[in-house]
């Protein structure tokens, strides 16, 4: 494994160097074919990094296949040597080895999820979850927590049954998609799980049939994994027969939207937890036991990973849904684990499941814009939360287990539909686009287009979708969870701890991390601070520690949180009224914690402030969910109480538009015609540009950069035809070179003459003429009907752009980014440190 990672790192480093060396040649070739291109779509740029990426994806495939083969070899040896008296591999050692291989498979699945390989991703993550859960059960059995063959059978069978069905669905889809290797692996592991279930029920059946299935997986995976690895190491010189990776056909427009390949892994997690809770009702196992907790918490961890990767895929609705279901999985596991220490029945407070049902219903309502099947599927979780609220014992009652049996069936059907529509060229009907077609007939509601630019981050930050919907939803859950009257002498008797610690603590930290990656400093600070507070207070108040630690020490900690939240509340004055109300009401929550610690809490104060905070959080949840789904109307979040100078602080708005759209370029062109300025990327840095036929715009560019009046400016041109009046001043060889090389990143410095028409840009004796490399910028030139003047500084006799914003470019990213154009009117007297409109430009 270490050798594979070393080979990958070495190949990445060499490929990065090769890419840097080959960019000049690629730019020259691009110039030969795109000299006079004015297409609104930027030209496709191909460099030396294209092929290495294909090879790296082949390496991830090899790691996944060889990992499955290695795990199968381990279970093969254990199966053939297993005897009722003594096993060859101890249960603890077997469990640890399975956990290591499960981590390797999870790595391969996550890395392959960055490209479109849904079947392989689903197979890797499913087998990873299978071996992770079974590995934990084997560790518990080896350490004596799960005792005897009866305990091992009751702990293993629910998880094995769930993965038998999931792998069967993956194998069927593999056959339909003609993925021979993946379908054979899925069917073989499916048969191995089924044979293992039969061996657990009847010891005389043995584990030989299960070992035979793993033998097939071992041989097949070793051959294909080794073949791909040899092809990768030798760069295609050594190719085993039948192991060549064939390029797939181009995706259709509908399939291109389904880029979130990890959604199927989330459905597998729902299938797993539903199987565990439905097995006692169906008589598969006698009762729910603590040995089944690893399956539930494996499903929870899997869905947390799906939540994070869904944010990376700009799928906010899926990320929020699987974040909520992960909370349920951890609560279910906690309810099974608690009776080991507490000899009492666990009760669930009524307000929380009711609020959870409302959150799931709102999410299901808005998920119908993706497909009708998604909305109907999430309604089953509404019924599940209603069943939890109706029966105080919650997960141990027959009603909730019956709903989980229905979720088991529906999850299997959704897994088949979703995986088939992602992997196969023809799609099964799921009601996709039905709501959009219905709302198109009315003017009351206008859905947002299926465009991921809504969640585009600030300049220089990671590309994750906005996580505020999940953050506010978790605040609602935490607030209504602590409304239950819980005495300090027996807090563990009520199901409050997982709602506060997982929903309010863990997921709030996750939302804060995503907000920080997006460049939202205040929002990330608030979510992280509140997550820490919910986790600490939940463990102290509802974890059985409150009676011993209650007093001055806890009060000092809460006072520190109060002081920190004062800064957040003050910062929210500059953000929005909704965020100010959110921070202020949480300050009241902290005051109730402080009064409770000191023993001076007035009767009903804590209930009142938690309900107020819950209602404010619910409005923020609903407003962000509604505004991200509908373009009009919009639920108001309120304007800031105070505004700062700079971006967003002035009276005029700087539009953020994607440069790929011709309408966006036209919008920026209209602003520049009227004397506005535009932020634009060059081949090296970002610059501020203005139209040369508008002297007032050039003055604004000077004032925005606080330039001296004698500082030079270069002149940008979109076509070499604009230099025809100055052709007699140039060498014919230079003119031929310019015709062949432009558009590219090469800049020219030529004598200035009457052909400049009195433009202000440039030095008195010469002017710099950088050629434009972006087709969208060429269109902008043609729309403005003139060249652009650029704020620059002199360097070594050439005119280089002024560095307006530092950009960290990924080593495997194309040198020329696909730019976003942002235009706006510069304030009349900007401050010296004003950089507002420049931060909206991004790759």
């Amino acid at each position: 494994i270490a050798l594979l990672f070393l080979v990958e790192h070495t190949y990445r480093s060499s490929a990065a160097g090769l890419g840097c060396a080959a960019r000049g040649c690629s730019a020259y070739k691009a110039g030969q074919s795109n000299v006079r291109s004015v297409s609104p779509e930027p030209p496709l740029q191909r460099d030396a990094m294209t092929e290495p990426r294909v090879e790296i994806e082949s390496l991830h495939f090899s790691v996944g296949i060889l990992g499955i083969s290695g795990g199968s070899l381990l279970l093969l040896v254990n199966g053939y040597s297993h005897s009722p008296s003594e096993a060859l591999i101890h249960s603890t050692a077997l469990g640890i080895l399975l956990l290591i291989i499960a981590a390797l498979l999870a790595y391969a699945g996550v890395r392959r999820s960055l490209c479109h390989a849904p079947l392989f991703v689903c197979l890797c993550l499913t087998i990873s979850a299978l071996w992770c859960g079974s590995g934990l059960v084997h560790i518990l059995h080896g350490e004596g927590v799960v005792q005897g063959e009866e305990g091992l059978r009751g702990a293993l069978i629910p998880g094995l049954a769930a993965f038998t069905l999931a792998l069967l669905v993956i194998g069927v889809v593999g056959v339909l998609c003609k993925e021979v290797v993946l379908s054979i692996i899925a069917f073989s592991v499916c048969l191995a799980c089924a044979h293992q279930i039969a061996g657990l029920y009847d010891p005389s059946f043995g584990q030989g049939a299960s070992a035979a299935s793993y033998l097939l997986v071992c041989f097949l995976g070793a051959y294909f994994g080794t073949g791909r690895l040899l092809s990768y190491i030798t760069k295609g010189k050594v190719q085993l027969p039948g192991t060549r990776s064939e390029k797939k056909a181009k995706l259709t427009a509908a399939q291109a939207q389904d880029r979130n390949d990890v959604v199927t892994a989330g459905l597998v997690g729902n299938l797993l937890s539903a199987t565990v809770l439905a097995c006692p009702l169906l008589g598969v196992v006698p009762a729910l036991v603590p040995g089944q907790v690893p399956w539930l918490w494996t499903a929870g961890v899997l869905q947390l990973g799906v939540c994070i990767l869904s944010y990376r895929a700009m799928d906010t609705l899926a990320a929020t849904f699987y974040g909520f279901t992960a909370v349920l999985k951890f609560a279910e596991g906690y309810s099974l684990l608690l009776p080991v220490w507490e000899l009492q029945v666990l009760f669930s407070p009524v307000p929380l499941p009711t609020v959870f049902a409302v959150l799931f219903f709102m999410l299901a309502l808005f998920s119908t814009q993706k497909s009708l099947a998604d909305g109907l599927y999430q309604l089953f979780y509404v019924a599940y939360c209603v069943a939890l609220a109706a029966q105080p014992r919650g997960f141990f009652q027959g009603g909730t287990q019956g709903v989980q049996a229905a979720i088991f069936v529906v999850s299997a059907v959704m897994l088949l539909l979703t995986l088939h529509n992602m992997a196969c060229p023809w799609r099964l009907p799921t009601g996709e686009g039905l709501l959009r077609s219905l709302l198109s007939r009315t003017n009351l509601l206008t859905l947002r287009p299926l465009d991921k630019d809504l969640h585009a981050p600030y300049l220089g930050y990671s590309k994750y979708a906005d996580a505020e919907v999940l953050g506010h939803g978790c605040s609602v859950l935490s607030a209504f969870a602590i409304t239950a009257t819980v005495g300090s002498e027996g807090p563990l008797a009520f199901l409050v701890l997982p709602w506060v610690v997982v929903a309010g603590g863990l997921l709030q930290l996750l939302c804060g991390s995503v907000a920080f990656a997006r460049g939202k400093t205040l929002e990330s600070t608030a979510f992280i601070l509140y997550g820490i507070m919910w986790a600490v207070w939940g463990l102290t108040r509802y974890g059985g520690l409150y009676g011993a630690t209650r007093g001055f020490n806890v009060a000092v900690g809460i006072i520190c949180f109060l002081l920190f939240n004062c800064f957040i509340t003050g910062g929210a004055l500059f953000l929005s009224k909704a965020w100010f109300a959110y921070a202020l009401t949480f300050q009241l929550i902290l005051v109730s914690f402080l009064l409770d610690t000191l023993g001076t809490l007035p009767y009903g104060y804590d209930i009142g402030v938690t309900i107020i905070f819950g209602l404010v959080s619910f409005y923020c949840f609903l407003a962000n969910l509604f505004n991200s789904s509908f373009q009009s109307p919009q639920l108001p979040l309120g304007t800031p109480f105070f505004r700062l100078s700079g971006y967003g602080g002035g009276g005029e708005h700087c539009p953020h538009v994607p440069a790929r759209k011709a309408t966006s370029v036209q919008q920026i062109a209209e602003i520049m015609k009227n004397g506005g300025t535009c932020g634009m990327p060059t081949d090296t840095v970002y610059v501020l540009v203005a139209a040369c036929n508008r002297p007032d715009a050039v003055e604004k560019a000077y004032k925005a950069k606080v330039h001296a009046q004698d500082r030079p400016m270069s002149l940008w041109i979109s076509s070499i035809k604009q230099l025809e009046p100055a052709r007699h001043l140039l060498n014919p060889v230079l003119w031929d070179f310019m015709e062949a090389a432009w558009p590219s990143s090469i800049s020219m410095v030529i004598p200035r003459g009457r052909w400049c028409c009195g433009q202000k840009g440039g030095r008195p004796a010469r002017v710099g003429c950088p050629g434009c490399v972006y087709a969208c910028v060429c269109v902008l030139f043609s729309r403005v009907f003139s060249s652009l003047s650029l704020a620059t500084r002199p360097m070594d006799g050439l005119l280089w752009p002024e560095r307006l914003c530092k950009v960290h470019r990924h080593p495997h990213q194309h040198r020329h980014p696909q730019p976003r154009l942002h235009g706006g009117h510069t304030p009349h007297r900007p401050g010296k440190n004003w950089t507002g409109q420049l931060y909206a430009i991004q790759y």
Side-chain angles (χ1 to χ4, degrees):
I1 294 170
L3 179 61
L4 290 176
F5 292 150
L6 179 62
V7 169
E8 177 186 0
H9 176 73
T10 305
Y11 199 91
R12 280 182 181 272
S13 302
S14 62
L18 179 62
C20 294
R23 286 189 184 106
C25 180
S26 63
Y28 176 79
K29 293 180 179 179
Q32 288 182 331
S33 58
N34 296 292
V35 172
R36 296 176 177 86
S37 174
V38 293
S39 171
E41 291 293 332
L44 296 176
Q45 297 173 358
R46 177 183 178 89
D47 59 8
M49 290 308 301
T50 304
E51 293 303 327
R53 178 169 180 82
V54 175
E55 295 295 337
I56 291 171
E57 292 172 359
S58 179
L59 176 63
H60 297 149
F61 182 86
S62 302
V63 170
I65 294 297
L66 290 176
I68 296 175
S69 178
S72 301
L73 178 61
L74 177 66
L75 295 173
L76 162 69
V77 174
N78 185 68
Y80 274 129
S81 63
H82 181 72
S83 62
S85 59
E86 184 179 359
L88 178 63
I89 305 176
H90 192 266
S91 294
T92 303
L94 177 63
I96 293 175
L97 291 174
L98 286 176
L99 288 179
I100 295 174
I101 298 175
L104 178 64
L105 290 179
Y107 165 80
V110 170
R111 292 304 302 266
R112 284 288 285 174
S113 67
L114 301 178
C115 58
H116 193 66
L119 196 62
F120 178 80
V121 171
C122 185
L123 179 64
C124 280
L125 295 180
T126 300
I127 297 181
S128 174
L130 167 64
W131 289 346
C132 178
S134 59
L136 292 174
V137 172
H138 282 294
I139 291 175
L140 294 178
H141 181 254
E143 296 300 318
V145 178
V146 177
Q147 299 179 356
E149 293 296 327
E150 290 290 335
L152 184 62
R153 178 169 64 246
L156 280 178
I157 284 178
L160 293 176
F163 285 107
T164 300
L165 180 58
L167 290 168
L168 177 63
V169 172
I170 296 174
V172 170
V173 175
V175 171
L176 295 177
C177 297
K178 299 180 181 179
E179 293 284 353
V180 180
V181 178
L182 300 182
S183 60
I184 293 177
I185 291 176
F187 282 134
S188 300
V189 180
C190 172
L191 289 176
C193 293
H195 290 150
Q196 189 174 357
I197 293 175
L200 289 172
Y201 270 115
D202 187 4
S204 61
F205 185 81
Q207 298 295 331
S210 177
S213 299
Y214 283 123
L215 179 63
L216 177 60
V217 176
C218 183
F219 280 132
L220 185 65
Y223 178 77
F224 277 89
T226 305
R228 291 287 183 90
L229 186 61
L230 287 175
S231 176
Y232 171 78
I233 295 176
T234 61
K235 299 181 180 180
K237 296 179 181 179
V238 177
Q239 191 83 40
L240 296 182
T243 61
R244 181 181 299 274
S245 58
E246 298 179 357
K247 294 184 178 180
K248 302 296 181 181
K250 187 178 179 181
L251 297 176
T252 61
Q255 285 180 329
Q257 299 173 1
D258 300 331
R259 302 296 296 182
N260 191 6
D261 294 341
V262 296
V263 170
T264 53
L267 293 172
V268 172
N270 290 336
L271 183 68
L272 175 59
S273 63
T275 307
V276 172
L277 294 178
C279 278
L281 181 66
L282 301 177
V284 179
V285 294
L288 294 173
V289 294
Q292 299 164 356
V293 173
W295 296 115
L296 295 173
W297 283 2
T298 297
V301 172
L302 178 64
Q303 292 191 332
L304 278 181
V306 172
C307 175
I308 297 173
L309 293 174
S310 296
Y311 279 124
R312 191 69 177 88
M314 303 294 175
D315 194 349
T316 307
L317 294 174
T320 306
F321 173 69
Y322 288 111
F324 285 162
T325 54
V327 177
L328 284 175
K329 305 303 180 290
F330 286 109
E332 292 162 358
Y334 172 79
S335 65
L336 298 187
L337 191 62
L338 187 62
V340 177
W341 296 282
E342 293 289 328
L343 300 177
Q344 53 187 347
V345 179
L346 187 66
F347 289 93
S348 178
V350 175
L352 178 83
T354 305
V355 173
F356 217 162
V358 174
L359 294 179
F360 269 118
F361 177 77
M362 300 306 300
L363 194 60
L365 187 63
F366 285 96
S367 295
T368 53
Q369 62 174 311
K370 295 174 59 179
S371 69
L372 187 61
D374 289 334
L376 295 177
Y377 175 65
Q378 295 177 14
L379 287 178
F380 282 88
Y381 281 89
V382 177
Y384 179 55
C385 294
V386 171
L388 287 176
Q391 297 177 331
R393 289 190 58 196
F395 308 111
F396 298 93
Q397 295 285 349
T400 56
Q401 294 176 2
V403 177
Q404 285 288 356
I407 291 177
F408 169 77
V409 177
V410 178
S411 297
V413 175
M414 284 296 298
L415 177 62
L416 177 62
L417 291 176
T418 306
L419 188 58
H420 177 275
N421 290 344
M422 285 184 176
C424 295
W426 51 280
R427 301 171 63 87
L428 296 174
T430 58
E432 186 176 352
L434 181 61
L435 180 63
R436 188 173 297 274
S437 62
L438 291 177
L439 292 180
S440 62
R441 303 177 183 179
T442 178
N443 296 327
L444 298 178
L445 296 174
T446 304
L447 281 172
R448 286 188 180 274
L450 296 176
D451 194 355
K452 297 180 181 179
D453 294 320
L454 172 67
H455 301 285
Y458 298 133
L459 175 64
Y461 291 92
S462 301
K463 293 185 177 180
Y464 287 88
D466 203 339
E468 288 191 22
V469 176
L470 180 59
H472 292 306
C474 292
S475 297
V476 176
L477 294 178
S478 303
F480 282 96
I482 63 176
T483 56
T485 303
V486 178
S488 59
E489 66 279 356
L492 296 179
F494 289 87
L495 189 63
V496 178
L497 183 64
W499 308 123
V500 178
V501 175
V502 178
L506 182 61
L507 287 183
Q508 290 270 25
L509 292 175
L510 171 63
C511 296
S513 302
V514 173
F516 183 79
R518 287 176 49 80
K520 294 187 172 184
T521 306
L522 181 63
E523 294 91 329
S524 66
T525 306
F527 283 134
I528 290 175
L529 178 67
Y530 297 168
I532 294 174
M533 183 61 202
W534 283 120
V536 172
W537 178 254
L539 291 173
T540 303
R541 181 68 177 84
Y542 304 102
L545 306 175
Y546 189 62
T549 59
R550 185 176 183 177
F552 177 76
N553 296 332
V554 178
V556 171
I558 296 177
I559 291 174
C560 294
F561 276 102
L562 277 168
L563 294 177
F564 279 117
N565 195 50
C566 288
F567 291 103
I568 294 179
T569 306
L573 292 171
F574 302 91
L575 191 59
S576 67
K577 292 183 175 65
W579 262 100
F580 175 75
Y582 179 70
L584 183 62
T585 51
F586 190 78
Q587 192 82 341
L588 301 178
I589 293 282
L590 294 176
V591 171
S592 71
F593 292 165
L594 178 61
L595 295 177
D596 187 22
T597 303
L598 299 177
T600 59
L601 181 65
Y603 178 77
Y605 175 80
D606 55 342
I607 303 297
V609 296
T610 51
I611 291 177
I612 293 174
F613 177 72
L615 292 177
V616 171
S617 301
F618 179 76
Y619 178 79
C620 294
F621 165 82
L622 183 61
N624 282 278
L625 185 61
F626 187 90
N627 295 342
S628 63
S629 302
F630 293 96
Q631 191 169 1
S632 64
Q634 295 272 293
L635 291 182
L637 291 173
T639 57
F641 288 95
F642 304 103
R643 290 181 180 271
L644 295 175
S645 62
Y647 169 68
E652 301 186 21
H653 177 63
C654 174
H656 295 211
V657 293
R660 285 181 175 271
K661 297 181 179 180
T663 55
S664 302
V665 179
Q666 180 63 35
Q667 180 181 355
I668 297 297
E670 293 297 329
I671 293 176
M672 296 187 67
K673 288 180 184 179
N674 296 324
T677 56
C678 174
M680 185 180 300
T682 65
D683 59 311
T684 53
V685 293
Y686 287 85
V687 295
L688 189 66
V689 298
C692 293
N693 60 351
R694 294 298 303 262
D696 55 338
V698 179
E699 290 291 339
K700 288 178 182 179
Y702 264 99
K703 291 179 180 180
K705 289 297 299 173
V706 199
H707 268 315
Q709 294 297 316
D710 58 345
R711 294 292 296 275
M713 298 182 73
S714 65
L715 200 64
W716 279 18
I717 61 174
S718 60
S719 173
I720 198 173
K721 291 182 178 180
Q722 295 175 270
L723 289 179
E724 286 289 348
R727 184 170 183 175
H728 65 282
L729 302 175
L730 304 178
N731 190 291
V733 178
L734 177 61
W735 184 267
D736 295 338
F737 175 77
M738 292 164 62
E739 284 186 328
W742 279 359
S744 70
S745 58
I746 301 174
S747 301
M748 305 292 177
V749 180
I750 61 177
R752 179 172 180 171
R754 297 178 59 84
W755 64 275
C756 289
C757 303
Q759 302 293 348
K760 182 173 182 175
R763 283 178 175 267
R766 64 181 188 271
V767 62
C769 296
C772 179
V773 72
Y774 303 115
C776 57
V777 181
C778 293
V779 176
L780 181 62
F781 276 89
S782 62
R783 299 292 172 84
V784 180
F785 300 109
S786 75
S787 58
L788 299 181
S789 183
L790 170 66
T792 61
R793 61 181 173 87
M795 183 176 179
D796 298 333
L798 295 177
L799 300 179
W800 293 87
E802 180 73 36
R803 182 177 293 275
L804 303 183
C805 180
K806 185 176 182 180
V807 178
H808 298 280
R809 187 176 287 117
H810 192 276
H812 303 295
Q813 191 174 8
H814 295 314
R815 179 170 180 82
H816 303 297
Q818 301 298 341
R820 283 176 167 273
L821 301 180
H822 295 253
H825 298 281
T826 307
H828 180 65
R829 299 287 294 178
K832 183 176 181 180
N833 297 324
W834 179 81
T835 55
Q837 298 177 19
L838 308 179
Y839 287 96
I841 315 164
Q842 58 193 198
Y843 287 172

